[in-house]
Amino acid sequence: MQIADTKCGMQFPTSAESCMAYVSELLTHFVGRSLPTEEDRFSLLLKILREGRLGQWREEGNVRIDPASISISGLGSLCENSFVDFAPVCFCDIPETDLDRHTNLYGCFGIAFTKTFLSELGANPVFYVAKGSLATHRQPPLTGALFEQLTTSKPLPPGAFYGDLRAKPVPIPRCKFFDELAGEVLTVLPAPWPPGTPPDASDPYRELQARVKFDLLRHVFAFMKFFDETLPEEDADNYYMEREWRVAGFVRFTVANVARIYVPKGYGSRLLAEIPSVHMRELPI
């Protein structure tokens, strides 16, 4: 059976069950989005394939930081995807016939791997969170009796000090909820060791807290992706449509590990001339 993609004019063999595929058998990373020309992107693709590595060192002065490194920015918002300083390698879980929206944003030079291969390197889908989704309700804080009320000679009405208890609970969206939660996690961490503490001092409770912080950063906060659920599907900031998976750190591979290479129309023969053994697919621009 063949189905035609009316957007890009391609036909792909499929089964009746996969005609409504929501996800792909492969995870794809598109390269060179920030580069000015297709030739630049093609050169970058060849460089990556020859080196067998996806991911970039981050440079801060003379220091090179591995992309697996995760730290707290100290200034950002978890809800605005800026609380955790993290540079993962990102992949999309999108069927080949539905790549148009993604390639319009990220270009047509892509490298795809099987989910099995990437999962063994730690790949995992992000945890999508709708910013405006209702997380909980909270009672407004109690203000207590005012000094003026306590010192007045006029009698106070019954229940004057309990009005706050009757206040309507305030809705808290997930954006605010998780930002507050991230701040609270840092607040409950132990204070620095006091001056004069021996360098070999040990505190199992402190060590447990440090491990919880590290695990929350690496395995939860670093894999959270907040999005505006009110945006239309075609909006570039509607991240939910990207079906993103992340790998913390470099993705090292051989050409044999690559399941498919995507290039724009006209680049297929050039790619095969440089690297004959790859599985290649041309995508119309």
Side-chain angles (χ1 to χ4, degrees), residues 21-266:
Y22 296 106
V23 295
S24 173
E25 294 180 353
L26 306 178
L27 299 175
T28 308
H29 175 87
F30 287 89
V31 307
R33 178 186 186 184
S34 62
L35 297 178
T37 69
E38 296 285 65
E39 286 298 314
D40 292 330
R41 287 184 274 275
F42 182 57
S43 296
L44 176 59
L45 176 67
L46 292 177
K47 179 176 183 291
I48 291 170
L49 290 171
R50 287 166 178 156
E51 292 180 351
R53 187 184 71 188
L54 276 172
Q56 295 182 340
W57 292 98
R58 290 179 292 165
E59 296 187 3
E60 295 185 6
N62 296 325
V63 179
R64 301 177 73 195
I65 302 175
D66 189 291
S69 299
I70 297 176
S71 62
I72 299 173
S73 66
L75 300 174
S77 159
L78 183 65
C79 176
E80 297 303 326
N81 301 304
S82 59
F83 178 78
V84 177
D85 189 10
F86 183 40
V89 181
C90 302
F91 297 84
C92 68
D93 185 5
I94 301 175
E96 194 170 82
T97 53
D98 295 320
L99 280 172
D100 288 41
R101 177 190 182 277
H102 203 77
T103 54
N104 285 338
L105 294 173
Y106 295 95
C108 292
F109 293 91
I111 304 176
F113 303 90
T114 65
K115 289 178 179 176
T116 300
F117 173 76
L118 290 176
S119 293
E120 291 174 353
L121 300 179
N124 195 73
V126 300
F127 312 133
Y128 282 109
V129 181
K131 292 181 178 181
S133 169
L134 177 65
T136 187
H137 287 84
R138 289 185 185 151
Q139 198 72 24
L142 299 177
T143 59
L146 298 175
F147 179 76
E148 291 80 9
Q149 291 176 313
L150 293 174
T151 57
T152 183
S153 58
K154 296 181 180 180
L156 296 173
F161 301 130
Y162 303 99
D164 288 337
L165 295 176
R166 298 193 298 269
K168 187 176 181 181
V170 177
I172 306 295
R174 295 191 187 277
C175 185
K176 181 178 180 180
F177 177 84
F178 277 105
D179 268 351
E180 292 178 353
L181 178 62
E184 290 166 351
V185 167
L186 300 185
T187 301
V188 299
L189 293 176
W193 288 102
T197 301
D200 59 348
S202 177
D203 183 340
Y205 186 66
R206 284 175 177 268
E207 294 168 3
L208 174 62
Q209 288 180 306
R211 186 167 71 251
V212 168
K213 171 190 173 182
F214 176 82
D215 288 342
L216 282 173
L217 280 175
R218 174 168 291 278
H219 300 295
V220 181
F221 292 162
F223 280 82
M224 295 183 74
K225 187 87 169 189
F226 290 79
F227 71 100
D228 184 346
E229 72 281 1
T230 66
L231 294 176
E233 292 182 0
E234 63 273 11
D235 194 294
D237 290 330
N238 189 345
Y239 306 125
Y240 186 67
M241 301 303 296
E242 297 182 356
R243 300 174 186 168
E244 181 180 337
W245 287 53
R246 290 178 176 175
V247 176
F250 289 113
V251 174
R252 303 182 188 277
F253 61 91
T254 66
V255 172
N257 299 134
V258 178
R260 190 167 300 155
I261 300 292
Y262 293 108
V263 294
K265 190 174 183 179

Side-chain angles (χ1 to χ4, degrees), residues 262-280:
Y262 293 108
V263 294
K265 190 174 183 179
Y267 281 85
S269 59
R270 294 176 58 184
L271 174 66
L272 293 176
E274 296 284 345
I275 307 178
S277 59
V278 296
H279 300 281
M280 181 274 302

